Amino acid sequence: MIRKVRSHINQNEPLLFERSSPGKKAYQLPPLDVPAVDAATALGAGNARREIEGFPEVSEVEVIRHFTRLSTWNYAIDLGVYPLGSCTMKYNPRVNEYVARIDGLAQAHPYLPEQLAQGAMRIQATLEQMLAEITGMHAVTLQPAAGAHGELTGILLARALLESRGNAREKVLIPDSAHGTNPATAALAGYRVESLASNAEGMVDVAELERRVDESVAALMVTNPNTLGIFERDIARVAEVLHSRGALLYMDGANMNALVGVARPGDFGVDVMHLNLHKTFSTPHGGGGPGGGPVAVRRELEPFLPLPRVVSDNGALRYSYDRPQSIGRVRAFYGNFGVLVRALAYILAHGGEGLRNATGDAVLNANYVRKHLEGCYTLPYPAPSLHECVFSDERQASQGVRTGDIAKRLIDYGFHPYTVSFPLIVHGALMIEPTETEDKRELDALIDALRSIAEEAASNPELVRTAPHDTRVARVDEVTAARKPIVRWKPGR
Amino acid sequence: MYPEDYRYTKEHEWIQVDGEIGTVGITFHAQKELGDIVYVELPKVGSKVSALKTMGSVESVKAVSDLFAPVSGEVVEVNAELNAQPEKLNQDPHGAAWLVKVRLANPRELDELLTAAAYRAHVGAETA
Amino acid sequence: MRYLPKSDSERCEMLASMGLRSTEDLFSHLPEELRMKRPLDIPPGQSEYEIIEYFRERAAENANGYACFLGAGVYQHFRPVIVDSLISRGEFLTAYTPYQPEISQGTLTSIFEFQTMICQLTGMEVANASMYDGSTALPEAVMMACRVTGRLRAVVARTVHPEYREVHRTYARYQGLPVVEAPYDRETGLLNLKRLEKLVDEDTAAVVVQNPNFFGCIEAVREAAAIAHSRGALLVVMFTEAVSLGILEPPVDADIVAGELQSFAISPSYGGPYAGVLAAKEKYIRQMPGRLAGETKDQNGNRAYCLTLATREQHIRREKATSNICTNQALIALMATVYMSVFGKQGLRELAEQNLAKAHYLAGELEKRGARPRFAAPFFNEFVVDCGGRRAPSVNRRLLKNRIVGGLELKRFYPELRNCLLLCATETTRREEMDRLAEHF
């Protein structure tokens, strides 16, 4: 029975260009207090533009209506749980939005003289310290703009260290359970990628690793807990194997929500890792970004960190550019500062004990869901789950119902789907990560919904296979969208 | 289903030889596994291909599959229709939706490929 | 802790239903030697009021109440209030990436609108849903040109933003892509086209030019395109000041346009988050990195939007992907989308005209005081001034004493311009501020 949602009329809305009408205005600029200048004269006649063809003209009320109506077509954390595995869709605290907009922070130009940017620099230095403490690593860079950007930075750091030892080496090993950004990153860093098959428990196969690590291997990229939500209990041994042959251990920190305050990657042999501020540290996803992908490193890697670095000079903070071994810049300026502010606000709100409790609740929530779904979905790997659990659609597949269908039917029940068909080592995966910011009521509703769908898969598979039924748009034709891509509006369509 | 006079690769390509020109495509099994095909990337006319090395790719909405050349040689013709109508690969993979024609560099390579019967067995084993 | 919505009794109920006594039981399988033996060394959790106070104190340690004449890639423009009203709605702010189109049409529709407006603005035919920022959009554009042409070499004008060039060098080094810098003409401040012609060869994948360039000058994009195309290379045109496109001819001769949208309702925010643009001719669409929203229909024939051509991206093509980008800058791009709809066709033009007028007024006032523009080329809203007999650092020191942040001292990036400042004036700069700067220059 669908209990969580009910139909409701919502407004249609055309595209801005379809609303547009010449002469409509949503802006007013103050009058010019200096003489006007003729564009053609000042810029050169060939350089002056006539008009921006096709650009919309709408009024302020229409702008408000347009975007407000569009927003009502979206699901969001503010509406309900996103059980997406490895995405850590937790509550985005509003005080974070408020502090990021304080004028002295929001208006600060990155080229302000250092003595007029001490507050911003202090925020960066403090966040670096806290992330170093959380990860158990020696130093942190806040430059990367997102997880994938952090991965690239991290692998480049590994490469720079190996080059300084005389041999950058040729390849990076990546478990077959890894996120797609991992191999894409390794390729961008100039490495060949080799896949490492997981063992029967879904973890890194240490014996296989021992066979494969030689002097051509630069690093192993691992996620811990892995993408099954399972802690790699041999991780220290994995680190040993790599280190004994001069290779490095890179950790993808996407799943840090299971470890904060409980275990620190620096303590189990990780050399370099990235964090996702938009996952573990609550900064908002905003429909796909912005993110923040700080990278934390062990002492030997510090000289290679991107420049500049914030350093303390008699109590004042300044930037150090004198870093001959640095890999250089990975982006202009210093980092996604506005995202850093939000992440620091999150850490300050929790405090040390609060962060530890958040981890406890995240793991409790995931295991609660797992326990109550074990009866109706196949659990491919029985090892204990941490902050996420992975089922497969094996039982339902015999009725012709696959994980993608179950996910779509979950939408009818008022939820966003879990992560579908990932990791690749599970056939027909359902990856579920509720995060700690869900209460028992929401979790029970999610469990009830998935149990109900399992029943439907048995008794009325067609209903599940053709879901969703109650959304504003039904399943879309992704095939035609790919065959004949239309990626912009054109007049006359 | 699988024409007797074609030869097949383990990676699900077929080749039909006429003199020194081989016509190459993907099998029925391949297009079924991929689902609705949205795009095909093929080598240019005049380029060289090597036996069992990649020569392009086939895409569905959610997956990409490498195409492997069954034999070595030079590409003499490319099926231009597939650009605008990749769905033909789902409709007629063994006939109208051939991919490329290759001038064989080494006809003996054909001996390494599977017969129709061997390919049927291979597909049977894969889907078992 | 107020963000954790469970009460202790709820926790007990849940644990009991699982046959467990404590949450700690769920961690007992972790190897003992790997677990933390002490609590995190982070101060206790703070209340909302204390957090706000903390950040207010940090904000007070930054420049406050100063007139600021810095540009150089980050610009001060009016931010319509309704931008935040709209993007702060939970349905935009806290939404996930739109992989499930049925419940993400809000996000997808706005991305489609964004892609369209970027094309209209830049004169290109396709645009993606955003890159991290302008500085990373540059290497992505060059790598795209390499894929398209099958070549490796990039020729980059020295008048492209220096930090952008540094980022590009980092990416290029590890990809084994040679980079050559093309010098500028000391008189005009523009890319030296004669030298460019000598540098572009049959191995060149991309020629990269910025317009307006880092000095604020208007480049001869058409001529640069001719040189690039004559050798089979692609022309990449960068921009850092999006407002300039309200009044400047768009770079229709470019093959790829990449740039920074910070000017469009994105606060300077000490360097980020911003939103990068990547746009190109339609024939290159399959080589484009990043997300693309496409129009289609649902099974009932209703118009709908979805992410498309995903096979270019990391989650499918993995090590052969066009890029490793996953999370981009969707919310920031949405700010720009709202901004573009507020200003619209007429507003962007009027805005650009105001910028032009303000900067030219400032240049005129400075010229009266003996500080002449360093370069002869036309400029938009920033320009380089030679401090003449006065030293650039002492000019800036004097200005600071008068609560003015002056221009960027160029010697840090261009040692040959050691006595020059890069100054910017926008529609937000008041006449009174400009008069004060000129007075104390």
Short mmCIF file of all heavy atoms in Angstrom, two decimals, chain B residues 63-113:
data_model
loop_
_atom_site.label_atom_id
_atom_site.label_comp_id
_atom_site.label_asym_id
_atom_site.label_seq_id
_atom_site.Cartn_x
_atom_site.Cartn_y
_atom_site.Cartn_z
N ALA B 63 25.65 1.63 -22.09
CA ALA B 63 26.85 0.80 -22.21
C ALA B 63 27.58 1.08 -23.50
O ALA B 63 27.00 1.53 -24.49
CB ALA B 63 26.47 -0.67 -22.13
N VAL B 64 28.87 0.80 -23.49
CA VAL B 64 29.69 0.89 -24.70
C VAL B 64 30.40 -0.43 -24.87
O VAL B 64 30.91 -0.98 -23.90
CB VAL B 64 30.80 1.95 -24.54
CG1 VAL B 64 31.50 2.16 -25.85
CG2 VAL B 64 30.24 3.23 -24.02
N SER B 65 30.43 -0.90 -26.07
CA SER B 65 31.12 -2.16 -26.35
C SER B 65 32.15 -1.92 -27.43
O SER B 65 31.85 -1.31 -28.45
CB SER B 65 30.08 -3.16 -26.85
OG SER B 65 30.14 -4.32 -26.10
N ASP B 66 33.35 -2.42 -27.20
CA ASP B 66 34.38 -2.31 -28.24
C ASP B 66 34.04 -3.22 -29.41
O ASP B 66 33.48 -4.30 -29.24
CB ASP B 66 35.74 -2.72 -27.68
CG ASP B 66 36.33 -1.62 -26.81
OD1 ASP B 66 36.17 -0.44 -27.16
OD2 ASP B 66 36.94 -1.96 -25.78
N LEU B 67 34.42 -2.76 -30.61
CA LEU B 67 34.32 -3.61 -31.80
C LEU B 67 35.70 -4.15 -32.12
O LEU B 67 36.67 -3.38 -32.12
CB LEU B 67 33.87 -2.77 -33.01
CG LEU B 67 32.41 -2.37 -33.09
CD1 LEU B 67 32.21 -1.38 -34.22
CD2 LEU B 67 31.53 -3.60 -33.30
N PHE B 68 35.81 -5.44 -32.38
CA PHE B 68 37.10 -6.05 -32.70
C PHE B 68 37.11 -6.48 -34.16
O PHE B 68 36.15 -7.08 -34.64
CB PHE B 68 37.36 -7.25 -31.79
CG PHE B 68 37.49 -6.86 -30.34
CD1 PHE B 68 36.38 -6.85 -29.51
CD2 PHE B 68 38.72 -6.47 -29.82
CE1 PHE B 68 36.49 -6.47 -28.18
CE2 PHE B 68 38.84 -6.10 -28.49
CZ PHE B 68 37.72 -6.09 -27.66
N ALA B 69 38.18 -6.14 -34.87
CA ALA B 69 38.29 -6.55 -36.27
C ALA B 69 38.56 -8.06 -36.31
O ALA B 69 39.47 -8.55 -35.65
CB ALA B 69 39.44 -5.80 -36.93
N PRO B 70 37.77 -8.81 -37.12
CA PRO B 70 38.01 -10.25 -37.19
C PRO B 70 39.33 -10.56 -37.90
O PRO B 70 39.97 -11.58 -37.62
CB PRO B 70 36.83 -10.79 -37.98
CG PRO B 70 35.84 -9.68 -38.07
CD PRO B 70 36.58 -8.40 -37.89
N VAL B 71 39.70 -9.68 -38.86
CA VAL B 71 40.90 -9.92 -39.66
C VAL B 71 41.68 -8.62 -39.81
O VAL B 71 41.17 -7.54 -39.53
CB VAL B 71 40.55 -10.43 -41.07
CG1 VAL B 71 39.88 -11.80 -41.00
CG2 VAL B 71 39.66 -9.44 -41.79
N SER B 72 42.91 -8.75 -40.30
CA SER B 72 43.72 -7.57 -40.60
C SER B 72 43.46 -7.13 -42.02
O SER B 72 43.18 -7.96 -42.89
CB SER B 72 45.21 -7.87 -40.44
OG SER B 72 45.43 -8.52 -39.23
N GLY B 73 43.61 -5.82 -42.25
CA GLY B 73 43.45 -5.35 -43.62
C GLY B 73 43.17 -3.87 -43.69
O GLY B 73 43.37 -3.15 -42.71
N GLU B 74 42.68 -3.44 -44.85
CA GLU B 74 42.40 -2.02 -45.06
C GLU B 74 40.89 -1.84 -45.24
O GLU B 74 40.25 -2.58 -45.97
CB GLU B 74 43.13 -1.54 -46.31
CG GLU B 74 42.97 -0.04 -46.55
CD GLU B 74 43.50 0.37 -47.92
OE1 GLU B 74 44.52 -0.23 -48.34
OE2 GLU B 74 42.90 1.24 -48.57
N VAL B 75 40.36 -0.82 -44.59
CA VAL B 75 38.92 -0.55 -44.69
C VAL B 75 38.65 0.09 -46.05
O VAL B 75 39.21 1.14 -46.37
CB VAL B 75 38.47 0.40 -43.56
CG1 VAL B 75 37.00 0.75 -43.71
CG2 VAL B 75 38.75 -0.23 -42.21
N VAL B 76 37.79 -0.56 -46.86
CA VAL B 76 37.50 -0.01 -48.18
C VAL B 76 36.10 0.63 -48.26
O VAL B 76 35.82 1.41 -49.16
CB VAL B 76 37.66 -1.07 -49.30
CG1 VAL B 76 39.11 -1.54 -49.35
CG2 VAL B 76 36.72 -2.24 -49.08
N GLU B 77 35.23 0.25 -47.34
CA GLU B 77 33.90 0.85 -47.35
C GLU B 77 33.33 0.82 -45.93
O GLU B 77 33.61 -0.09 -45.16
CB GLU B 77 32.98 0.05 -48.28
CG GLU B 77 31.89 0.90 -48.94
CD GLU B 77 30.94 0.05 -49.79
OE1 GLU B 77 31.46 -0.86 -50.50
OE2 GLU B 77 29.72 0.28 -49.74
N VAL B 78 32.54 1.85 -45.64
CA VAL B 78 31.90 1.95 -44.32
C VAL B 78 30.41 2.15 -44.55
O VAL B 78 30.01 2.87 -45.46
CB VAL B 78 32.48 3.16 -43.55
CG1 VAL B 78 31.63 3.49 -42.33
CG2 VAL B 78 33.91 2.89 -43.11
N ASN B 79 29.59 1.52 -43.75
CA ASN B 79 28.14 1.62 -43.93
C ASN B 79 27.63 2.96 -43.39
O ASN B 79 27.41 3.12 -42.21
CB ASN B 79 27.45 0.46 -43.19
CG ASN B 79 25.96 0.38 -43.53
OD1 ASN B 79 25.37 1.33 -44.05
ND2 ASN B 79 25.36 -0.75 -43.23
N ALA B 80 27.44 3.91 -44.31
CA ALA B 80 27.09 5.27 -43.91
C ALA B 80 25.70 5.36 -43.28
O ALA B 80 25.41 6.27 -42.51
CB ALA B 80 27.16 6.19 -45.12
N GLU B 81 24.81 4.41 -43.60
CA GLU B 81 23.43 4.48 -43.08
C GLU B 81 23.38 4.43 -41.56
O GLU B 81 22.45 4.94 -40.95
CB GLU B 81 22.62 3.30 -43.61
CG GLU B 81 22.15 3.50 -45.04
CD GLU B 81 21.22 2.37 -45.47
OE1 GLU B 81 21.09 1.39 -44.72
OE2 GLU B 81 20.64 2.52 -46.56
N LEU B 82 24.38 3.77 -40.96
CA LEU B 82 24.32 3.57 -39.51
C LEU B 82 24.49 4.85 -38.72
O LEU B 82 24.14 4.92 -37.55
CB LEU B 82 25.39 2.55 -39.08
CG LEU B 82 25.17 1.15 -39.62
CD1 LEU B 82 26.29 0.23 -39.16
CD2 LEU B 82 23.83 0.59 -39.16
N ASN B 83 25.03 5.87 -39.38
CA ASN B 83 25.18 7.16 -38.71
C ASN B 83 23.82 7.72 -38.30
O ASN B 83 23.58 8.10 -37.17
CB ASN B 83 25.83 8.14 -39.69
CG ASN B 83 27.02 8.78 -39.06
OD1 ASN B 83 26.98 9.12 -37.87
ND2 ASN B 83 28.07 8.90 -39.82
N ALA B 84 22.93 7.79 -39.29
CA ALA B 84 21.61 8.38 -39.04
C ALA B 84 20.66 7.36 -38.44
O ALA B 84 19.69 7.72 -37.78
CB ALA B 84 21.04 8.93 -40.32
N GLN B 85 20.90 6.09 -38.72
CA GLN B 85 19.94 5.08 -38.27
C GLN B 85 20.64 3.91 -37.58
O GLN B 85 20.65 2.79 -38.11
CB GLN B 85 19.14 4.55 -39.45
CG GLN B 85 18.25 5.63 -40.07
CD GLN B 85 17.44 5.06 -41.22
OE1 GLN B 85 17.95 4.80 -42.31
NE2 GLN B 85 16.18 4.82 -40.95
N PRO B 86 21.20 4.15 -36.42
CA PRO B 86 21.88 3.06 -35.71
C PRO B 86 20.93 1.92 -35.33
O PRO B 86 21.38 0.80 -35.11
CB PRO B 86 22.44 3.75 -34.46
CG PRO B 86 21.65 5.01 -34.31
CD PRO B 86 21.20 5.41 -35.66
N GLU B 87 19.64 2.21 -35.31
CA GLU B 87 18.68 1.16 -34.92
C GLU B 87 18.67 0.01 -35.92
O GLU B 87 18.21 -1.10 -35.60
CB GLU B 87 17.27 1.74 -34.77
CG GLU B 87 16.72 2.46 -35.98
CD GLU B 87 17.04 3.95 -35.96
OE1 GLU B 87 18.07 4.34 -35.35
OE2 GLU B 87 16.28 4.72 -36.56
N LYS B 88 19.22 0.25 -37.13
CA LYS B 88 19.26 -0.83 -38.12
C LYS B 88 20.06 -2.02 -37.59
O LYS B 88 19.80 -3.16 -37.95
CB LYS B 88 19.90 -0.33 -39.42
CG LYS B 88 18.98 0.50 -40.25
CD LYS B 88 19.33 0.45 -41.73
CE LYS B 88 18.10 0.81 -42.54
NZ LYS B 88 18.36 1.60 -43.68
N LEU B 89 21.02 -1.73 -36.71
CA LEU B 89 21.83 -2.80 -36.15
C LEU B 89 20.98 -3.75 -35.31
O LEU B 89 21.27 -4.95 -35.23
CB LEU B 89 22.93 -2.22 -35.26
CG LEU B 89 24.29 -2.11 -35.92
CD1 LEU B 89 25.24 -1.33 -35.04
CD2 LEU B 89 24.86 -3.49 -36.17
N ASN B 90 19.94 -3.22 -34.68
CA ASN B 90 19.05 -4.09 -33.92
C ASN B 90 18.14 -4.86 -34.88
O ASN B 90 17.75 -5.99 -34.62
CB ASN B 90 18.19 -3.29 -32.94
CG ASN B 90 19.01 -2.63 -31.86
OD1 ASN B 90 19.13 -1.41 -31.81
ND2 ASN B 90 19.58 -3.44 -30.98
N GLN B 91 17.81 -4.23 -36.01
CA GLN B 91 16.81 -4.83 -36.91
C GLN B 91 17.42 -5.91 -37.80
O GLN B 91 16.80 -6.95 -38.03
CB GLN B 91 16.17 -3.74 -37.78
CG GLN B 91 15.29 -2.78 -37.00
CD GLN B 91 15.20 -1.41 -37.66
OE1 GLN B 91 15.71 -1.20 -38.76
NE2 GLN B 91 14.54 -0.48 -37.00
N ASP B 92 18.59 -5.64 -38.37
CA ASP B 92 19.13 -6.58 -39.36
C ASP B 92 20.65 -6.68 -39.22
O ASP B 92 21.39 -6.30 -40.12
CB ASP B 92 18.74 -6.11 -40.77
CG ASP B 92 19.05 -7.16 -41.82
OD1 ASP B 92 19.44 -8.30 -41.45
OD2 ASP B 92 18.91 -6.86 -43.02
N PRO B 93 21.14 -7.21 -38.09
CA PRO B 93 22.58 -7.21 -37.82
C PRO B 93 23.39 -8.06 -38.78
O PRO B 93 24.56 -7.78 -39.00
CB PRO B 93 22.67 -7.77 -36.40
CG PRO B 93 21.41 -8.55 -36.21
CD PRO B 93 20.37 -7.87 -37.02
N HIS B 94 22.77 -9.08 -39.37
CA HIS B 94 23.56 -9.97 -40.25
C HIS B 94 23.49 -9.53 -41.70
O HIS B 94 24.16 -10.11 -42.54
CB HIS B 94 23.07 -11.41 -40.14
CG HIS B 94 23.27 -12.00 -38.79
ND1 HIS B 94 22.60 -13.11 -38.35
CD2 HIS B 94 24.06 -11.61 -37.76
CE1 HIS B 94 22.97 -13.39 -37.11
NE2 HIS B 94 23.85 -12.49 -36.73
N GLY B 95 22.67 -8.56 -42.03
CA GLY B 95 22.47 -8.20 -43.43
C GLY B 95 22.68 -6.73 -43.70
O GLY B 95 23.82 -6.26 -43.82
N ALA B 96 21.59 -5.98 -43.73
CA ALA B 96 21.68 -4.57 -44.14
C ALA B 96 22.53 -3.74 -43.20
O ALA B 96 23.06 -2.70 -43.59
CB ALA B 96 20.27 -3.98 -44.23
N ALA B 97 22.66 -4.16 -41.94
CA ALA B 97 23.42 -3.36 -40.98
C ALA B 97 24.85 -3.86 -40.84
O ALA B 97 25.40 -3.90 -39.74
CB ALA B 97 22.72 -3.37 -39.63
N TRP B 98 25.50 -4.23 -42.00
CA TRP B 98 26.92 -4.55 -41.94
C TRP B 98 27.65 -3.26 -41.54
O TRP B 98 27.13 -2.17 -41.70
CB TRP B 98 27.42 -5.07 -43.29
CG TRP B 98 27.15 -4.13 -44.43
CD1 TRP B 98 26.02 -4.06 -45.19
CD2 TRP B 98 28.03 -3.11 -44.93
NE1 TRP B 98 26.13 -3.08 -46.13
CE2 TRP B 98 27.34 -2.47 -46.00
CE3 TRP B 98 29.32 -2.67 -44.59
CZ2 TRP B 98 27.91 -1.42 -46.72
CZ3 TRP B 98 29.88 -1.63 -45.32
CH2 TRP B 98 29.17 -1.01 -46.37
N LEU B 99 28.88 -3.41 -41.01
CA LEU B 99 29.60 -2.24 -40.48
C LEU B 99 30.64 -1.72 -41.48
O LEU B 99 30.61 -0.56 -41.87
CB LEU B 99 30.31 -2.60 -39.17
CG LEU B 99 29.40 -3.04 -38.02
CD1 LEU B 99 30.25 -3.51 -36.83
CD2 LEU B 99 28.49 -1.92 -37.58
N VAL B 100 31.59 -2.58 -41.83
CA VAL B 100 32.65 -2.17 -42.73
C VAL B 100 32.99 -3.30 -43.71
O VAL B 100 32.66 -4.46 -43.45
CB VAL B 100 33.97 -1.81 -41.98
CG1 VAL B 100 33.77 -0.60 -41.10
CG2 VAL B 100 34.47 -2.99 -41.17
N LYS B 101 33.62 -2.90 -44.82
CA LYS B 101 34.20 -3.90 -45.73
C LYS B 101 35.71 -3.73 -45.71
O LYS B 101 36.21 -2.60 -45.78
CB LYS B 101 33.66 -3.71 -47.16
CG LYS B 101 32.16 -4.01 -47.25
CD LYS B 101 31.69 -4.18 -48.70
CE LYS B 101 30.21 -3.87 -48.81
NZ LYS B 101 29.34 -4.99 -49.03
N VAL B 102 36.39 -4.87 -45.61
CA VAL B 102 37.85 -4.84 -45.42
C VAL B 102 38.52 -5.65 -46.52
O VAL B 102 38.07 -6.75 -46.85
CB VAL B 102 38.19 -5.47 -44.04
CG1 VAL B 102 39.70 -5.57 -43.85
CG2 VAL B 102 37.56 -4.68 -42.92
N ARG B 103 39.61 -5.08 -47.09
CA ARG B 103 40.43 -5.87 -48.01
C ARG B 103 41.40 -6.67 -47.16
O ARG B 103 42.23 -6.10 -46.45
CB ARG B 103 41.18 -4.98 -48.99
CG ARG B 103 42.13 -5.79 -49.92
CD ARG B 103 42.76 -4.95 -51.03
NE ARG B 103 41.79 -4.43 -51.96
CZ ARG B 103 41.54 -3.14 -52.14
NH1 ARG B 103 42.22 -2.23 -51.47
NH2 ARG B 103 40.63 -2.76 -53.00
N LEU B 104 41.26 -8.00 -47.24
CA LEU B 104 42.04 -8.87 -46.35
C LEU B 104 43.53 -8.78 -46.63
O LEU B 104 43.96 -8.89 -47.78
CB LEU B 104 41.60 -10.34 -46.53
CG LEU B 104 40.46 -10.82 -45.64
CD1 LEU B 104 39.19 -10.02 -45.83
CD2 LEU B 104 40.21 -12.29 -45.87
N ALA B 105 44.31 -8.63 -45.59
CA ALA B 105 45.77 -8.62 -45.74
C ALA B 105 46.31 -10.04 -45.68
O ALA B 105 47.32 -10.37 -46.28
CB ALA B 105 46.40 -7.77 -44.64
N ASN B 106 45.60 -10.89 -44.93
CA ASN B 106 46.12 -12.24 -44.69
C ASN B 106 44.96 -13.23 -44.53
O ASN B 106 44.48 -13.49 -43.44
CB ASN B 106 46.97 -12.21 -43.41
CG ASN B 106 47.61 -13.54 -43.14
OD1 ASN B 106 47.41 -14.52 -43.88
ND2 ASN B 106 48.39 -13.61 -42.06
N PRO B 107 44.49 -13.79 -45.67
CA PRO B 107 43.30 -14.66 -45.64
C PRO B 107 43.43 -15.84 -44.68
O PRO B 107 42.43 -16.40 -44.24
CB PRO B 107 43.19 -15.16 -47.08
CG PRO B 107 43.91 -14.15 -47.90
CD PRO B 107 45.02 -13.62 -47.02
N ARG B 108 44.65 -16.21 -44.33
CA ARG B 108 44.81 -17.37 -43.43
C ARG B 108 44.23 -17.08 -42.05
O ARG B 108 43.94 -18.00 -41.29
CB ARG B 108 46.30 -17.74 -43.31
CG ARG B 108 46.76 -18.46 -44.57
CD ARG B 108 47.33 -19.80 -44.19
NE ARG B 108 48.73 -19.66 -43.78
CZ ARG B 108 49.74 -19.63 -44.64
NH1 ARG B 108 49.54 -19.79 -45.93
NH2 ARG B 108 50.97 -19.47 -44.21
N GLU B 109 44.08 -15.80 -41.72
CA GLU B 109 43.52 -15.46 -40.41
C GLU B 109 42.10 -16.01 -40.24
O GLU B 109 41.62 -16.23 -39.13
CB GLU B 109 43.49 -13.94 -40.21
CG GLU B 109 44.86 -13.34 -39.92
CD GLU B 109 44.85 -11.82 -40.01
OE1 GLU B 109 43.92 -11.27 -40.65
OE2 GLU B 109 45.77 -11.19 -39.48
N LEU B 110 41.43 -16.23 -41.38
CA LEU B 110 40.06 -16.75 -41.32
C LEU B 110 40.01 -18.10 -40.61
O LEU B 110 39.02 -18.46 -39.98
CB LEU B 110 39.48 -16.88 -42.73
CG LEU B 110 39.24 -15.56 -43.46
CD1 LEU B 110 38.94 -15.81 -44.94
CD2 LEU B 110 38.08 -14.81 -42.81
N ASP B 111 41.10 -18.85 -40.75
CA ASP B 111 41.12 -20.18 -40.13
C ASP B 111 41.05 -20.10 -38.61
O ASP B 111 40.68 -21.08 -37.96
CB ASP B 111 42.41 -20.92 -40.52
CG ASP B 111 42.51 -21.10 -42.04
OD1 ASP B 111 41.46 -21.04 -42.69
OD2 ASP B 111 43.64 -21.27 -42.54
N GLU B 112 41.43 -18.93 -38.05
CA GLU B 112 41.41 -18.81 -36.59
C GLU B 112 40.00 -18.55 -36.07
O GLU B 112 39.76 -18.58 -34.85
CB GLU B 112 42.29 -17.63 -36.15
CG GLU B 112 43.67 -17.61 -36.76
CD GLU B 112 44.52 -18.73 -36.19
OE1 GLU B 112 44.43 -18.98 -34.98
OE2 GLU B 112 45.26 -19.35 -36.97
N LEU B 113 39.08 -18.22 -36.98
CA LEU B 113 37.75 -17.80 -36.52
C LEU B 113 36.83 -19.00 -36.34
O LEU B 113 37.13 -20.11 -36.77
CB LEU B 113 37.15 -16.82 -37.53
CG LEU B 113 37.99 -15.55 -37.74
CD1 LEU B 113 37.39 -14.68 -38.84
CD2 LEU B 113 38.10 -14.75 -36.45
#
